[in-house]
Amino acid sequence: MLSLSEQVVLITGASTGIGAALAKILAERFNPIRLVLAARDADKLEKVANHCRQLGAEVLVVPTDLEQTDQVEALAQAAIAKFGRVDALVNNAGYGQMGPIELIPHQAAARQFQINVLAPLALIRSLIPLMRDRGGGRIINISSLGGRMAFPFGGLYSGSKFALEGLSDALRMELAPFNIKVSVIEPGPVSTDFFIAAAQAVESTVATPERTPYRAAFEKLKDLEKHTSSRAWSAERVAEAIVKALTDSHPRPRYIAATGGNFLVFMMTKVLSTKIVDRFWQRFYGINLVARDWQKHRLGLKDEV
């Protein structure tokens, strides 16, 4: 394999957050790396690209809407047309929405899986043949601790990340004969306003949340970022885990990028009973408050009768 400084690396979601941080780190340390940067916001992409160019990287900017499969496939073709190959793919773009599963509209659920699962899959399928013909490559899929553990109000997000991890596991085995390495990065809380954005997105996906049976948990959701900020990693710190996956001679299947993440996953998936784990997440996300509120509501209905 070529050294990373000689490779072509394609990064989605590269206009902000983890993707932008990764692009800048690669440009700074692995000159003269070639980067293909994709995201919806062309202006923000250009700012990141110019920063990387000043550090000596050659950069191709491809504004891409991952909701459009034809644009995703065109992204792969643009990278190949410019550089002749893609040595490493970092499927970083993704988003999360918060809310109870029963209240998430079908269109919002479909968008969640399109961006977090189907778009990365389309890119992977487009690039595998070229990687195989060139003797290998690397595919890095950015998942989440939510891809190992589901939690209330995050069912659609976790469902999409569980799917991405399942695809990654299968691909890792299928592509091993062709020297194509597949790894998953699992961040915990990241300082990218995830919970704030997710809480704000509730307004566009759930009509009048304060009038639903889940109103108590919706109220707690507004302050969730405060409870996670002390343990949140910076985008740059998560990007370092991605760099490790790109440079390790024998990359691991999974890299957990969270303080105490390995212990948390071990306890929640191997040690504690499902009942205890459920209660923990229910309290953390305010589902216990929903239970109390619902009981009061039912008692009020009985009193009226």
Side-chain angles (χ1 to χ4, degrees):
M1 290 294 294
L2 298 170
S3 66
L4 191 53
S5 61
E6 300 174 284
Q7 292 184 29
V8 177
V9 181
L10 193 163
I11 307 169
T12 64
S15 61
T16 59
I18 296 169
L22 175 63
K24 293 173 182 178
I25 289 172
L26 293 177
E28 181 178 4
R29 296 186 193 169
F30 301 96
N31 187 17
I33 195 170
R34 282 160 285 183
L35 301 173
V36 181
L37 305 183
R40 284 189 302 175
D41 193 317
D43 292 336
K44 290 182 179 179
L45 269 180
E46 279 296 341
K47 290 180 181 179
V48 176
N50 287 333
H51 180 91
C52 294
R53 290 178 183 125
Q54 291 173 5
L55 294 170
E58 186 176 356
V59 185
L60 171 65
V61 168
V62 186
T64 307
D65 182 354
L66 295 183
E67 290 187 67
Q68 307 300 321
T69 302
D70 58 338
Q71 290 192 32
V72 176
E73 294 172 347
L75 164 61
Q77 295 307 313
I80 295 169
K82 173 66 175 179
F83 294 117
R85 68 180 196 271
V86 172
D87 301 295
L89 167 64
V90 181
N91 278 312
N92 167 70
Y95 86 105
Q97 57 186 323
M98 303 295 287
I101 291 173
E102 72 163 299
L103 299 183
I104 302 296
H106 174 78
Q107 185 176 3
R111 181 172 185 265
Q112 181 78 91
F113 277 81
Q114 171 61 34
I115 293 177
N116 287 13
V117 182
L118 298 181
L121 178 59
L123 261 181
I124 290 168
R125 293 178 64 184
S126 296
L127 294 174
I128 283 174
L130 191 63
M131 287 184 175
R132 177 168 53 229
D133 290 344
R134 290 190 55 81
R138 300 207 180 190
I139 298 170
I140 313 294
N141 292 325
I142 310 305
S143 179
S144 164
L145 288 183
R148 299 282 289 278
M149 305 173 291
F151 43 85
F153 270 46
L156 269 298
Y157 177 70
S158 280
S160 68
K161 292 301 187 181
F162 268 67
L164 184 63
E165 297 226 2
L167 289 172
S168 300
D169 285 339
L171 284 166
R172 186 181 66 251
M173 293 181 278
E174 293 172 358
L175 300 181
F178 314 119
N179 193 35
I180 300 175
K181 314 293 186 182
V182 181
S183 295
V184 169
I185 309 296
E186 297 172 334
V190 182
S191 302
T192 56
D193 296 330
F194 174 88
F195 286 112
I196 294 175
Q200 292 173 343
V202 167
E203 298 177 5
S204 63
T205 56
V206 180
T208 59
E210 70 279 1
R211 297 180 184 177
T212 73
Y214 303 97
R215 54 185 168 267
F218 274 119
E219 190 63 29
K220 184 170 183 178
L221 183 63
K222 298 176 182 178
D223 297 323
L224 202 56
E225 192 271 340
K226 297 177 182 178
H227 298 292
T228 61
S229 59
S230 63
R231 299 186 298 276
W233 281 24
S234 66
E236 290 74 16
R237 190 175 178 186
V238 177
E240 294 287 359
I242 303 173
V243 172
K244 186 168 178 58
L246 287 169
T247 55
D248 279 352
S249 56
H250 300 286
R252 303 199 299 267
R254 285 175 172 79
Y255 294 78
I256 292 180
T259 300
N262 287 289
F263 179 75
L264 179 65
V265 171
F266 176 72
M267 293 297 294
M268 293 294 191
T269 63
K270 302 294 184 182
V271 178
L272 300 176
S273 70
T274 300
K275 186 175 182 179
I276 291 175
V277 172
D278 285 355
R279 286 180 176 175
F280 172 82
W281 289 123
Q282 286 172 320
R283 290 184 64 84
F284 190 85
Y285 285 94
I287 301 301
N288 61 318
L289 303 177
V290 171
R292 296 173 196 168
D293 186 59
W294 183 243
Q295 288 300 320
K296 290 179 182 179
H297 175 72
R298 290 177 63 84
L299 288 172
L301 290 177
K302 289 180 181 179
D303 291 340
E304 290 178 7
V305 174

